[in-house]
Amino acid sequence: MVLVVDYGSQYSRLITRRIRENEVYSEVVFPDDKVDLSKVDAVILSGGPRSVYEEDAPKLPEWFQEYKGPVLAICYGMQLIVKELGGEVRRGRGEYGRTLVELSRDPIFEGIPEKVHVWMSHGDEVVRLPEGFHPIAVSETGVIAAATDGKRFWLLQFHPEVHHTEYGDRMISNFLFNVCKLEKNWKIGDLVEEKIRHIKETIGNKKAILALSGGVDSSVAAVLVHRAIGKNLVCVFVDHGLLRKNEREEVERVFKEHFDMNLVVVDARKRFLEKLRGVTDPEKKRKIIGEEFIRVFEEEAKKHDVEFLVQGTIYSDVIESAASGKTTAKIKSHHNVGGLPEKMNLKLVEPLRDLFKDEVRKVGKYLGIPDRIINRHPFPGPGLAVRVLGEVTEEKLEILREADYIFIETLRKHDYYDKVWQAFAVLLPIKSVGVKGDARAYEYVVALRAVNSVEGMTADWSRIPHDILDEAARRITREVKGVGRVVYDITSKPPATIEWE
Ligand SMILES: Nc1ncnc2c1ncn2[C@@H]1O[C@H](COP(=O)(O)OP(=O)(O)OP(=O)(O)O)[C@@H](O)[C@H]1O
Ligand SMILES: O=c1[nH]c(=O)c2[nH+]cn([C@@H]3O[C@H](COP(=O)(O)O)[C@@H](O)[C@H]3O)c2[nH]1
Ligand SMILES: NC(=O)CC[C@H](N)C(=O)O
Ligand SMILES: [Mg+2]
């Protein structure tokens, strides 16, 4: 078993899933958890938001003294090992996102070219290594990007667990098999059958409602729970007035075509929009939406005499809401996790809570769900409310719906929809000056965003051909009333997030 010690990194669970991908079992613990060392074959220390030289920064676990096996320490983990073993860490200039590093020969870099782009996310840096350590990678700005003592410790300043680190998966498998000499003995089918068994046990002969959005996660959750409890499942789709153009009709149609399950559609447009009126703070908006969702589900639950609510929550929702541990920083409250009200009458069942998007897609494939559902772009539960920046009004929603529709349609027309992970339009809360038909115009700005990602935890902006962007921009400024300017977002995550709020 590989033990991952979670120092609050956004990517801690990504480390475990990378290990699962290698068919090796892995568990996550917090630094002050008790651990049975007899089961542990390797230890990985994650990154984290704190700085090691802060007084109350999280320390090495107590059991670490006794542990004598191999250690892979990432980012904060690296800085912690360096400091504890007598080296030095200082505030640096910081490296964020794609960074070029030069690698030396080492078992952990076997089969990897000398120069690779890795994903960084740190402000502190190692300025002096402890005795017995030597650098095995240096970044383009001269920062020590990796080091080892050649015996037990491998330290990486960058994140091998994120998709955008080239050969990151190879570094992890090198660590598992080259350094630690572990064996493969774990599979995804095991996981699905285990989940179905667990849902049967939890819900038993009782009824449950499932929050269905028509998206990937809730559709997979629906099929999974349906396998476990059959007709006792009622799916509830909420139209909160923050949906995209034609979305409600589309979801109903696809659902009826592919699934033999009960579906209730609730028209809650008025109540959501009323609650959101005048609210501009992104976190407030998210909390309001999270709470309102639950109130709607509670009302439906009463009608059907139900005590369980199934949600398609996945791990990235949990981690960004900072619901995974004490040290993790809150990035944003996902409506279905951090946005939940404190008091609620329903018991939550979230079978996908520990999985990442692409793992959910694999589970969906294993369950026989059609590709066109599985390959849909993600759409956030708070919907267009987090894409109309600032106050949400009917007028702005309508503008955004049209702009978004045109962008997506243009991508589809050029066979580009499946080439990006997620694409959408954002309506900015500002107007800008333009000239239309020789007259001055003063109209809204729309930002287009398209990203490539695997699990949404990191992302890079998609290099969509300029001609496609050009076509979308022309159509939007021509056809959508009130929009005078279109821009394309070229920021990666980090430092930005995928959504703008
Ligand atoms: N309009 C909605 N009606 C009912 N439930 C919803 C709605 N929107 C979101 N949810 C619930 O919130 C959960 C999280 O939403 P999220 O958008 O992350 O997942 P999804 O819609 O299932 O998949 P995707 O990420 O592909 O859009 C959903 O799985 C679902 O349970
Ligand atoms: O169901 C959801 N409820 C939310 O509150 C929420 N916020 C962001 N997202 C989606 O999550 C992925 C990562 O988004 P960010 O980079 O913006 O955090 C992207 O795919 C986002 O669309 C949400 N999904
Ligand atoms: N991602 C990390 O682990 C960052 C570590 C530390 N907070 C830094 O900024 O350097
Ligand atoms: Mg969704």
Side-chain angles (χ1 to χ4, degrees), residues 11-38:
Y11 312 134
S12 299
R13 295 277 160 162
L14 259 184
I15 307 173
T16 31
R17 64 150 295 177
R18 291 286 170 248
I19 300 167
R20 292 200 290 257
E21 273 172 353
N22 279 289
E23 295 171 25
V24 171
Y25 184 67
S26 166
E27 277 179 22
V28 184
V29 294
F30 295 113
D32 41 12
D33 286 349
K34 292 238 167 349
V35 163
D36 175 6
L37 282 181
S38 68

mmCIF file of all heavy atoms in Angstrom, residues 11-38:
data_model
loop_
_atom_site.group_PDB
_atom_site.id
_atom_site.type_symbol
_atom_site.label_atom_id
_atom_site.label_comp_id
_atom_site.label_asym_id
_atom_site.label_seq_id
_atom_site.Cartn_x
_atom_site.Cartn_y
_atom_site.Cartn_z
ATOM 1 N N TYR A 11 -4.149 18.795 -5.059
ATOM 2 C CA TYR A 11 -3.934 17.610 -5.895
ATOM 3 C C TYR A 11 -3.717 16.308 -5.123
ATOM 4 O O TYR A 11 -3.351 15.303 -5.716
ATOM 5 C CB TYR A 11 -2.704 17.829 -6.795
ATOM 6 C CG TYR A 11 -2.684 19.144 -7.527
ATOM 7 C CD1 TYR A 11 -1.539 19.921 -7.554
ATOM 8 C CD2 TYR A 11 -3.814 19.606 -8.198
ATOM 9 C CE1 TYR A 11 -1.498 21.135 -8.238
ATOM 10 C CE2 TYR A 11 -3.787 20.812 -8.877
ATOM 11 C CZ TYR A 11 -2.632 21.571 -8.889
ATOM 12 O OH TYR A 11 -2.596 22.762 -9.563
ATOM 13 N N SER A 12 -3.940 16.320 -3.790
ATOM 14 C CA SER A 12 -3.597 15.125 -3.002
ATOM 15 C C SER A 12 -4.262 13.858 -3.528
ATOM 16 O O SER A 12 -3.635 12.823 -3.664
ATOM 17 C CB SER A 12 -3.976 15.325 -1.547
ATOM 18 O OG SER A 12 -3.261 16.419 -1.039
ATOM 19 N N ARG A 13 -5.587 13.968 -3.817
ATOM 20 C CA ARG A 13 -6.293 12.773 -4.301
ATOM 21 C C ARG A 13 -5.865 12.379 -5.700
ATOM 22 O O ARG A 13 -6.041 11.237 -6.115
ATOM 23 C CB ARG A 13 -7.796 12.987 -4.310
ATOM 24 C CG ARG A 13 -8.385 13.183 -2.961
ATOM 25 C CD ARG A 13 -8.639 11.857 -2.292
ATOM 26 N NE ARG A 13 -8.747 12.107 -0.869
ATOM 27 C CZ ARG A 13 -9.295 11.269 0.010
ATOM 28 N NH1 ARG A 13 -9.779 10.119 -0.389
ATOM 29 N NH2 ARG A 13 -9.343 11.577 1.279
ATOM 30 N N LEU A 14 -5.370 13.354 -6.434
ATOM 31 C CA LEU A 14 -4.869 13.040 -7.769
ATOM 32 C C LEU A 14 -3.688 12.083 -7.642
ATOM 33 O O LEU A 14 -3.496 11.213 -8.478
ATOM 34 C CB LEU A 14 -4.356 14.311 -8.444
ATOM 35 C CG LEU A 14 -5.241 14.973 -9.462
ATOM 36 C CD1 LEU A 14 -4.490 16.142 -10.064
ATOM 37 C CD2 LEU A 14 -5.641 14.016 -10.540
ATOM 38 N N ILE A 15 -2.927 12.266 -6.578
ATOM 39 C CA ILE A 15 -1.787 11.377 -6.379
ATOM 40 C C ILE A 15 -2.308 9.951 -6.194
ATOM 41 O O ILE A 15 -1.854 9.028 -6.852
ATOM 42 C CB ILE A 15 -0.933 11.812 -5.164
ATOM 43 C CG1 ILE A 15 -0.542 13.288 -5.290
ATOM 44 C CG2 ILE A 15 0.289 10.917 -5.035
ATOM 45 C CD1 ILE A 15 0.156 13.849 -4.058
ATOM 46 N N THR A 16 -3.318 9.787 -5.326
ATOM 47 C CA THR A 16 -3.844 8.428 -5.099
ATOM 48 C C THR A 16 -4.405 7.828 -6.371
ATOM 49 O O THR A 16 -4.268 6.644 -6.617
ATOM 50 C CB THR A 16 -5.010 8.365 -4.089
ATOM 51 O OG1 THR A 16 -5.739 9.549 -4.162
ATOM 52 C CG2 THR A 16 -4.545 8.095 -2.722
ATOM 53 N N ARG A 17 -5.089 8.659 -7.187
ATOM 54 C CA ARG A 17 -5.669 8.060 -8.379
ATOM 55 C C ARG A 17 -4.603 7.685 -9.397
ATOM 56 O O ARG A 17 -4.734 6.720 -10.108
ATOM 57 C CB ARG A 17 -6.711 8.959 -8.988
ATOM 58 C CG ARG A 17 -6.132 10.247 -9.476
ATOM 59 C CD ARG A 17 -6.904 10.724 -10.610
ATOM 60 N NE ARG A 17 -6.771 9.795 -11.710
ATOM 61 C CZ ARG A 17 -7.393 9.943 -12.839
ATOM 62 N NH1 ARG A 17 -8.221 10.928 -12.979
ATOM 63 N NH2 ARG A 17 -7.200 9.109 -13.802
ATOM 64 N N ARG A 18 -3.514 8.464 -9.448
ATOM 65 C CA ARG A 18 -2.412 8.080 -10.331
ATOM 66 C C ARG A 18 -1.880 6.718 -9.915
ATOM 67 O O ARG A 18 -1.461 5.913 -10.728
ATOM 68 C CB ARG A 18 -1.268 9.087 -10.243
ATOM 69 C CG ARG A 18 -1.577 10.429 -10.812
ATOM 70 C CD ARG A 18 -1.598 10.423 -12.320
ATOM 71 N NE ARG A 18 -2.119 11.679 -12.792
ATOM 72 C CZ ARG A 18 -3.285 11.847 -13.414
ATOM 73 N NH1 ARG A 18 -4.047 10.799 -13.689
ATOM 74 N NH2 ARG A 18 -3.711 13.027 -13.776
ATOM 75 N N ILE A 19 -1.883 6.495 -8.605
ATOM 76 C CA ILE A 19 -1.382 5.216 -8.118
ATOM 77 C C ILE A 19 -2.387 4.112 -8.473
ATOM 78 O O ILE A 19 -2.012 3.047 -8.953
ATOM 79 C CB ILE A 19 -1.114 5.301 -6.607
ATOM 80 C CG1 ILE A 19 -0.062 6.400 -6.375
ATOM 81 C CG2 ILE A 19 -0.637 3.977 -6.062
ATOM 82 C CD1 ILE A 19 0.087 6.806 -4.952
ATOM 83 N N ARG A 20 -3.705 4.415 -8.303
ATOM 84 C CA ARG A 20 -4.740 3.441 -8.701
ATOM 85 C C ARG A 20 -4.617 3.098 -10.182
ATOM 86 O O ARG A 20 -4.823 1.966 -10.580
ATOM 87 C CB ARG A 20 -6.140 4.013 -8.440
ATOM 88 C CG ARG A 20 -6.493 4.198 -6.985
ATOM 89 C CD ARG A 20 -7.998 4.275 -6.800
ATOM 90 N NE ARG A 20 -8.619 5.468 -7.307
ATOM 91 C CZ ARG A 20 -9.022 6.504 -6.556
ATOM 92 N NH1 ARG A 20 -8.832 6.485 -5.261
ATOM 93 N NH2 ARG A 20 -9.614 7.534 -7.100
ATOM 94 N N GLU A 21 -4.317 4.114 -11.004
ATOM 95 C CA GLU A 21 -4.156 3.863 -12.435
ATOM 96 C C GLU A 21 -3.046 2.856 -12.705
ATOM 97 O O GLU A 21 -3.068 2.155 -13.701
ATOM 98 C CB GLU A 21 -3.771 5.155 -13.163
ATOM 99 C CG GLU A 21 -4.953 5.975 -13.573
ATOM 100 C CD GLU A 21 -4.511 7.333 -14.120
ATOM 101 O OE1 GLU A 21 -3.320 7.668 -14.058
ATOM 102 O OE2 GLU A 21 -5.382 8.035 -14.609
ATOM 103 N N ASN A 22 -2.100 2.829 -11.812
ATOM 104 C CA ASN A 22 -1.016 1.864 -11.942
ATOM 105 C C ASN A 22 -1.369 0.530 -11.291
ATOM 106 O O ASN A 22 -0.499 -0.309 -11.076
ATOM 107 C CB ASN A 22 0.257 2.423 -11.302
ATOM 108 C CG ASN A 22 0.975 3.388 -12.229
ATOM 109 O OD1 ASN A 22 1.543 2.987 -13.226
ATOM 110 N ND2 ASN A 22 0.910 4.673 -11.915
ATOM 111 N N GLU A 23 -2.670 0.398 -10.932
ATOM 112 C CA GLU A 23 -3.172 -0.842 -10.330
ATOM 113 C C GLU A 23 -2.458 -1.188 -9.027
ATOM 114 O O GLU A 23 -2.147 -2.333 -8.738
ATOM 115 C CB GLU A 23 -3.091 -1.993 -11.341
ATOM 116 C CG GLU A 23 -4.016 -1.734 -12.528
ATOM 117 C CD GLU A 23 -3.838 -2.730 -13.669
ATOM 118 O OE1 GLU A 23 -3.389 -3.855 -13.409
ATOM 119 O OE2 GLU A 23 -4.168 -2.360 -14.813
ATOM 120 N N VAL A 24 -2.216 -0.127 -8.262
ATOM 121 C CA VAL A 24 -1.639 -0.318 -6.931
ATOM 122 C C VAL A 24 -2.576 0.360 -5.940
ATOM 123 O O VAL A 24 -3.113 1.434 -6.205
ATOM 124 C CB VAL A 24 -0.236 0.321 -6.835
ATOM 125 C CG1 VAL A 24 0.276 0.316 -5.404
ATOM 126 C CG2 VAL A 24 0.747 -0.393 -7.756
ATOM 127 N N TYR A 25 -2.828 -0.254 -4.805
ATOM 128 C CA TYR A 25 -3.735 0.311 -3.822
ATOM 129 C C TYR A 25 -3.083 1.474 -3.064
ATOM 130 O O TYR A 25 -1.892 1.463 -2.801
ATOM 131 C CB TYR A 25 -4.165 -0.782 -2.836
ATOM 132 C CG TYR A 25 -5.173 -0.300 -1.846
ATOM 133 C CD1 TYR A 25 -6.459 0.049 -2.273
ATOM 134 C CD2 TYR A 25 -4.840 -0.145 -0.499
ATOM 135 C CE1 TYR A 25 -7.393 0.522 -1.379
ATOM 136 C CE2 TYR A 25 -5.777 0.332 0.399
ATOM 137 C CZ TYR A 25 -7.038 0.663 -0.041
ATOM 138 O OH TYR A 25 -7.957 1.141 0.844
ATOM 139 N N SER A 26 -3.939 2.501 -2.769
ATOM 140 C CA SER A 26 -3.384 3.670 -2.099
ATOM 141 C C SER A 26 -4.411 4.298 -1.157
ATOM 142 O O SER A 26 -5.607 4.240 -1.418
ATOM 143 C CB SER A 26 -2.963 4.680 -3.163
ATOM 144 O OG SER A 26 -2.723 5.929 -2.580
ATOM 145 N N GLU A 27 -3.952 4.878 -0.080
ATOM 146 C CA GLU A 27 -4.832 5.566 0.858
ATOM 147 C C GLU A 27 -4.274 6.941 1.194
ATOM 148 O O GLU A 27 -3.063 7.151 1.113
ATOM 149 C CB GLU A 27 -4.948 4.773 2.171
ATOM 150 C CG GLU A 27 -5.972 3.667 2.110
ATOM 151 C CD GLU A 27 -6.050 2.893 3.424
ATOM 152 O OE1 GLU A 27 -5.643 3.436 4.480
ATOM 153 O OE2 GLU A 27 -6.503 1.736 3.367
ATOM 154 N N VAL A 28 -5.180 7.861 1.606
ATOM 155 C CA VAL A 28 -4.744 9.197 1.998
ATOM 156 C C VAL A 28 -4.920 9.382 3.500
ATOM 157 O O VAL A 28 -5.945 8.990 4.047
ATOM 158 C CB VAL A 28 -5.608 10.273 1.309
ATOM 159 C CG1 VAL A 28 -5.082 11.658 1.647
ATOM 160 C CG2 VAL A 28 -5.617 10.075 -0.183
ATOM 161 N N VAL A 29 -3.964 9.989 4.158
ATOM 162 C CA VAL A 29 -4.116 10.336 5.573
ATOM 163 C C VAL A 29 -3.682 11.786 5.788
ATOM 164 O O VAL A 29 -2.998 12.365 4.946
ATOM 165 C CB VAL A 29 -3.248 9.445 6.495
ATOM 166 C CG1 VAL A 29 -3.730 8.005 6.465
ATOM 167 C CG2 VAL A 29 -1.769 9.538 6.119
ATOM 168 N N PHE A 30 -4.102 12.354 6.897
ATOM 169 C CA PHE A 30 -3.626 13.677 7.277
ATOM 170 C C PHE A 30 -2.401 13.515 8.175
ATOM 171 O O PHE A 30 -2.228 12.468 8.789
ATOM 172 C CB PHE A 30 -4.734 14.453 7.985
ATOM 173 C CG PHE A 30 -5.890 14.733 7.061
ATOM 174 C CD1 PHE A 30 -7.126 14.146 7.281
ATOM 175 C CD2 PHE A 30 -5.715 15.541 5.954
ATOM 176 C CE1 PHE A 30 -8.184 14.376 6.406
ATOM 177 C CE2 PHE A 30 -6.757 15.779 5.074
ATOM 178 C CZ PHE A 30 -7.994 15.200 5.310
ATOM 179 N N PRO A 31 -1.572 14.572 8.264
ATOM 180 C CA PRO A 31 -0.304 14.433 8.990
ATOM 181 C C PRO A 31 -0.472 13.955 10.436
ATOM 182 O O PRO A 31 0.384 13.236 10.941
ATOM 183 C CB PRO A 31 0.274 15.850 8.963
ATOM 184 C CG PRO A 31 -0.373 16.526 7.808
ATOM 185 C CD PRO A 31 -1.702 15.881 7.618
ATOM 186 N N ASP A 32 -1.592 14.314 11.089
ATOM 187 C CA ASP A 32 -1.684 13.882 12.491
ATOM 188 C C ASP A 32 -2.512 12.614 12.683
ATOM 189 O O ASP A 32 -2.816 12.237 13.808
ATOM 190 C CB ASP A 32 -2.155 15.037 13.402
ATOM 191 C CG ASP A 32 -3.258 15.844 12.774
ATOM 192 O OD1 ASP A 32 -3.807 15.378 11.753
ATOM 193 O OD2 ASP A 32 -3.583 16.932 13.295
ATOM 194 N N ASP A 33 -2.876 11.929 11.604
ATOM 195 C CA ASP A 33 -3.563 10.639 11.731
ATOM 196 C C ASP A 33 -2.602 9.558 12.222
ATOM 197 O O ASP A 33 -1.405 9.612 11.955
ATOM 198 C CB ASP A 33 -4.122 10.193 10.370
ATOM 199 C CG ASP A 33 -5.343 10.999 9.968
ATOM 200 O OD1 ASP A 33 -5.862 11.748 10.824
ATOM 201 O OD2 ASP A 33 -5.762 10.893 8.805
ATOM 202 N N LYS A 34 -3.193 8.558 12.914
ATOM 203 C CA LYS A 34 -2.391 7.394 13.321
ATOM 204 C C LYS A 34 -2.284 6.439 12.128
ATOM 205 O O LYS A 34 -3.217 6.333 11.335
ATOM 206 C CB LYS A 34 -3.080 6.667 14.477
ATOM 207 C CG LYS A 34 -3.090 7.457 15.767
ATOM 208 C CD LYS A 34 -2.412 6.666 16.854
ATOM 209 C CE LYS A 34 -2.070 7.454 18.104
ATOM 210 N NZ LYS A 34 -2.192 8.906 18.070
ATOM 211 N N VAL A 35 -1.172 5.765 12.026
ATOM 212 C CA VAL A 35 -0.945 4.906 10.867
ATOM 213 C C VAL A 35 -0.329 3.580 11.299
ATOM 214 O O VAL A 35 0.538 3.546 12.171
ATOM 215 C CB VAL A 35 0.011 5.634 9.882
ATOM 216 C CG1 VAL A 35 0.613 4.668 8.886
ATOM 217 C CG2 VAL A 35 -0.730 6.752 9.154
ATOM 218 N N ASP A 36 -0.821 2.477 10.677
ATOM 219 C CA ASP A 36 -0.218 1.168 10.931
ATOM 220 C C ASP A 36 0.895 0.935 9.907
ATOM 221 O O ASP A 36 0.642 0.572 8.766
ATOM 222 C CB ASP A 36 -1.300 0.093 10.802
ATOM 223 C CG ASP A 36 -0.728 -1.308 10.926
ATOM 224 O OD1 ASP A 36 0.489 -1.435 11.220
ATOM 225 O OD2 ASP A 36 -1.486 -2.274 10.718
ATOM 226 N N LEU A 37 2.121 1.157 10.338
ATOM 227 C CA LEU A 37 3.250 1.153 9.401
ATOM 228 C C LEU A 37 3.527 -0.205 8.766
ATOM 229 O O LEU A 37 4.153 -0.298 7.715
ATOM 230 C CB LEU A 37 4.519 1.652 10.097
ATOM 231 C CG LEU A 37 4.624 3.170 10.283
ATOM 232 C CD1 LEU A 37 5.942 3.516 10.957
ATOM 233 C CD2 LEU A 37 4.521 3.904 8.954
ATOM 234 N N SER A 38 2.996 -1.265 9.379
ATOM 235 C CA SER A 38 3.300 -2.598 8.851
ATOM 236 C C SER A 38 2.691 -2.804 7.465
ATOM 237 O O SER A 38 3.114 -3.667 6.709
ATOM 238 C CB SER A 38 2.794 -3.666 9.820
ATOM 239 O OG SER A 38 1.380 -3.649 9.832
#
